[in-house]
Structure formats: C-alpha cells, structure tokens
Amino acid sequence: MESKNYQASHYATQGDEQTLLQRLHQELYNLKFLIVVDDNAWDRIAHALPDKENDSWILLITRLREVTNKNSEKSSLLHEMQPLGLEHSWQFLCYLTFGDKLKNDNDDVTLLCPPHLKEIGRSIAEKCKGLPLSLVVVGGLLIQETEKIDFWKRIEEDTADAAAKSQKIVRYVPLNSSNFGLVKASS
C-alpha cells in the first residue's frame, strides 16, 4: 500500500476492523506481495488476504507449536529457528552495545567491552537464552551505560527474571498465497 502513495497509518485510524480488512483485500488483490505477520494478528487478517496464484507469500511468525501445526499443512516450508549459541550471543550483544566504536567490520567486537564488564556481559548474554530479540532489547539498555558495573548488574538480574518466563522457540511458516487454503478472494 505504501508503494501506491498510501500511508498505512491513515487507514489504521479510519473505520472499523471489517472495513480495514476489506480495504486490505482490495489493495492486495491485483498485487504481488510479501506479508510478514505475527500469529497474534493472523486469525484476524487471514481471511482478508487474496488467495490467488500470483506468487505472493505470507511469512507467519509464531512461537506456538499449535499455530505451526495448524498452518504447516498449507505449506511444505517450515523453519524452526534455533537459539544462538553462547559465543554468538556474546558477540551480538557486544556488537549492539559497542558496535558503533568498530573501526573495521573484521575486528573482534568483543574486545571493545571494558575488561571489568566482560564477565557480567557474558552472563547477561547467556541469560538471554540465545534469543536475538532479547539480546536486542538488553543491548539497547546496556548502550546507555557502557562503563557502569552496577547498572550492568541490575540488567543481569532483570534479564535472568525475564528469560525464566520465556523459553519459547520462534517458528516461521512461509505460506504461498496460492496454497494457504483460506477463503477464495472475490473481485
């Protein structure tokens, strides 16, 4: 919709949900599209997506096995993301926190972490359980105070609590619009 000089935010505030879904269907009907949708929105918008053989794709992102089981029969493609290993998590966290100081992309970003923060930083990376989104959120916090160990200790405690509550794996179910088996679009 953006490519036709429409602004999605305009439609998000205009009309009820049914009207918005009809508009979505109309706008996409003659277009090739790639839509990335979270399972929270999937049930609400699935019926509005045109079911045509035009090489369009829908990438359904979920952490719930029930969602993948329900939709994987509509697609032979199912990719289960694995968490990052500890070393990659540590490197990614360092990149998020100290990456702006890198002079060369080939440099070891972990060397930019001050020595007094390395142990606690590795612990924080481990507590993120290899989940990139957790690392991004925590890295966004750590960048605020790149020298203060007390701040990093508080983040470590909070990260341990948050990680304990969410130990889910993200699954991606790409669905070709010509085979996702939903209500056929009508012009």
Side-chain angles (χ1 to χ4, degrees), residues 86 89-90 93-94 98 113-114 116-128 135 138 142 152 156:
L86 178 56
S89 293
W90 170 234
L93 186 62
C94 286
F98 305 107
C113 181
H116 68 284
L117 296 176
K118 284 191 185 217
E119 184 179 332
I120 196 163
R122 279 180 142 324
S123 175
I124 291 170
E126 183 177 8
K127 287 177 171 62
C128 286
L135 291 160
V138 170
L142 294 177
W152 282 48
E156 180 190 30

Side-chain angles (χ1 to χ4, degrees), residues 6-167:
Y6 294 115
Q7 291 186 353
S9 61
H10 171 74
Y11 294 110
T13 60
Q14 305 297 314
D16 63 23
E17 184 173 317
Q18 191 59 37
T19 303
L20 294 172
L21 292 172
Q22 288 172 347
R23 181 67 187 217
L24 174 67
H25 178 84
Q26 290 169 353
E27 293 295 329
L28 294 177
Y29 189 76
N30 290 315
L31 299 176
K32 235 186 213 188
F33 57 84
L34 167 66
I35 293 187
V36 180
V37 63
D38 183 80
D39 58 2
N40 291 327
W42 176 247
D43 288 335
R44 291 172 50 200
I45 71 162
H47 67 279
L49 300 173
D51 191 3
K52 296 178 62 177
E53 293 187 24
N54 67 351
D55 295 323
S56 292
W57 286 86
I58 299 138
L59 185 60
L60 174 60
I61 300 172
T62 184
R63 292 179 175 197
L64 306 173
R65 185 160 300 278
E66 312 83 76
V67 174
T68 59
N69 292 343
K70 184 169 83 172
N71 290 286
S72 62
E73 71 224 18
K74 299 168 189 160
S75 172
S76 60
L77 305 171
L78 175 63
H79 181 70
E80 188 166 332
M81 298 292 295
Q82 297 301 314
L84 298 174
L86 178 56
E87 197 55 36
H88 283 117
S89 293
W90 170 234
Q91 290 169 352
F92 188 43
L93 186 62
C94 286
Y95 177 78
L96 294 165
T97 309
F98 305 107
D100 61 332
K101 297 176 184 162
L102 269 179
K103 291 186 171 69
N104 183 339
D105 287 339
N106 295 327
D107 291 344
D108 182 357
V109 71
T110 61
L111 298 175
L112 297 173
C113 181
H116 68 284
L117 296 176
K118 284 191 185 217
E119 184 179 332
I120 196 163
R122 279 180 142 324
S123 175
I124 291 170
E126 183 177 8
K127 287 177 171 62
C128 286
K129 305 287 187 197
L131 300 174
L133 183 56
S134 294
L135 291 160
V136 168
V137 170
V138 170
L141 295 170
L142 294 177
I143 200 168
Q144 298 173 27
E145 297 288 345
T146 58
E147 294 292 329
K148 296 183 179 175
I149 196 164
D150 291 339
F151 182 79
W152 282 48
K153 283 182 180 178
R154 268 188 298 150
I155 298 298
E156 180 190 30
E157 291 167 11
D158 293 345
T159 304
D161 293 341
K165 293 176 186 170
S166 176
Q167 300 219 7

